[in-house]
Amino acid sequence: MQLIDIGVNLTNPSFADKHQAVLERAYAAGVCQLVLTGTSVEGSEQALELCQRLDDTGERLFSTAGIHPHSASDWNADSARHLKDLLTQDRVRAVGECGLDFNRDFSPRPQQEKVLEEHLALAVELQLPVFLHERDADQRLLEILREFRDQLPAAVVHCFTGEKKALFAYLDLDLHIGITGWICDERRGTHLHPLVREIPRNRLMLESDAPYLLPRTLRPKPKNGRNEPAYLTETLREVALHRGESQEDLAAHSSACARAFFGLPIISD
């Protein structure tokens, strides 16, 4: 059984000096390929560097390049140029993480919207898929996406935590959906249990979002409380349960979906 983790924040300081061990545990758990999330220009550069340094085969580690909506205020005249340079690198397979976050509003909403449009324009120009973030902003995100959707090759709403109306609207726009350990949270994720059944097989992907969102159903829990890609198997178990599928079937079709979305190779061994 092989899994693909489409969203891991391996550049997070909590993983400093632990990258190789984290990856070895992931591979041992069956997580054979990982997409490292870029959330700033500097972070996207670091994600690419980790891919190149930690995977000399060119088969296992890939990344995204973008600026998270929390940091939309950091966008400047050079941002698009730097991101475009990164996005032309072979290991960088998607534009993002980008989007809208009206939950925390760390950057002004008009600036978030402007920066999202800049990312989408890059994705159209380079014909790359988009890795999207959305919190409490589904209607506005949909409005902006509709203007670009016909020209975009693909887009995934990463770490989907919304309600049925938002899910169906995203699916109607032919978007992919990323599910994390949020579904394992009995306090705030149970509404996802019936919803994951509604996601078509060719639109569903799995992600750890590590070091965040440690699955609360995981036993035993790590003493450090830090999520890792190796624990994606717990999210797999929970999603398979609520979709009425075997874990093997879910792993196979979600990984096939991720390979097609990001253009990932089939592991040779």
Side-chain angles (χ1 to χ4, degrees):
M1 186 170 68
Q2 293 187 341
L3 277 172
I4 297 176
D5 185 348
I6 70 158
V8 51
N9 299 283
L10 201 61
T11 61
N12 188 277
S14 67
F15 287 135
D17 303 319
K18 304 178 182 71
H19 301 123
Q20 193 61 52
V22 167
L23 290 174
E24 287 174 1
R25 286 191 289 271
Y27 299 150
V31 181
C32 64
Q33 291 172 307
L34 303 92
V35 181
L36 281 52
T37 307
T39 58
S40 65
V41 171
E42 181 182 9
S44 299
E45 291 172 342
Q46 292 171 352
L48 174 59
E49 189 274 330
L50 287 175
C51 290
Q52 295 169 332
R53 177 162 55 86
L54 299 173
D55 172 29
D56 56 10
T57 69
E59 292 184 332
R60 292 188 178 273
L61 299 183
F62 301 87
S63 67
T64 70
I67 296 178
H68 194 285
H70 287 342
S71 302
S73 295
D74 296 336
W75 184 272
N76 58 49
D78 292 328
S79 298
R81 178 175 58 82
H82 286 310
L83 287 180
K84 186 174 180 179
D85 288 345
L86 283 166
L87 290 162
T88 60
Q89 300 296 310
D90 180 62
R91 294 290 188 100
V92 183
R93 296 301 175 94
V95 178
E97 182 175 357
C98 58
L100 302 175
D101 194 308
F102 294 173
N103 178 268
R104 295 186 177 179
D105 287 313
F106 287 160
S107 288
R109 294 183 182 185
Q111 180 69 3
Q112 290 187 45
E113 294 175 5
K114 174 184 180 296
V115 172
L116 171 60
E117 290 171 350
E118 294 273 6
H119 281 84
L120 295 175
L122 270 175
V124 169
E125 178 183 353
L126 300 173
Q127 282 299 286
L128 287 170
V130 185
F131 191 79
L132 293 165
H133 172 103
E134 181 266 307
R135 288 290 301 278
D136 296 346
D138 56 286
Q139 290 305 307
R140 189 67 187 112
L141 180 63
L142 285 160
E143 290 170 2
I144 294 173
L145 281 173
R146 286 190 184 103
E147 299 179 16
F148 291 86
R149 184 64 187 94
D150 288 347
Q151 300 170 281
L152 289 172
V156 58
V157 180
H158 131 81
C159 188
F160 177 79
T161 59
E163 301 294 337
K164 182 176 182 178
K165 181 180 178 181
L167 175 64
F168 280 33
Y170 289 143
L171 293 175
D172 284 347
L173 209 54
D174 206 22
L175 304 184
H176 289 68
I177 304 295
I179 297 293
T180 65
W182 193 289
I183 196 173
C184 303
D185 191 331
E186 79 287 355
R187 306 162 305 173
R188 57 183 182 173
T190 56
H191 70 287
L192 294 175
H193 294 176
L195 291 187
V196 291
R197 284 181 173 267
E198 306 294 339
I199 305 172
R201 289 166 67 94
N202 64 345
R203 286 291 176 267
L204 172 63
M205 297 184 280
L206 303 180
E207 50 181 323
S208 66
D209 205 27
Y212 313 113
L213 299 181
L214 177 72
R216 285 176 57 85
T217 52
L218 183 68
R219 299 292 185 274
K221 285 187 171 63
K223 292 181 180 179
N224 59 22
R226 183 180 62 232
N227 195 15
E228 290 192 7
Y231 306 145
L232 189 62
T233 54
E234 182 61 18
T235 300
L236 172 78
R237 185 199 64 77
E238 190 77 8
V239 174
L241 172 68
H242 296 294
R243 282 177 64 87
E245 296 174 341
S246 70
Q247 294 180 44
E248 292 76 14
D249 185 26
L250 175 58
H253 74 71
S254 64
S255 295
C257 183
R259 281 201 181 94
F261 184 93
F262 291 101
L264 306 182
I266 296 175
I267 298 291
S268 58
D269 58 357

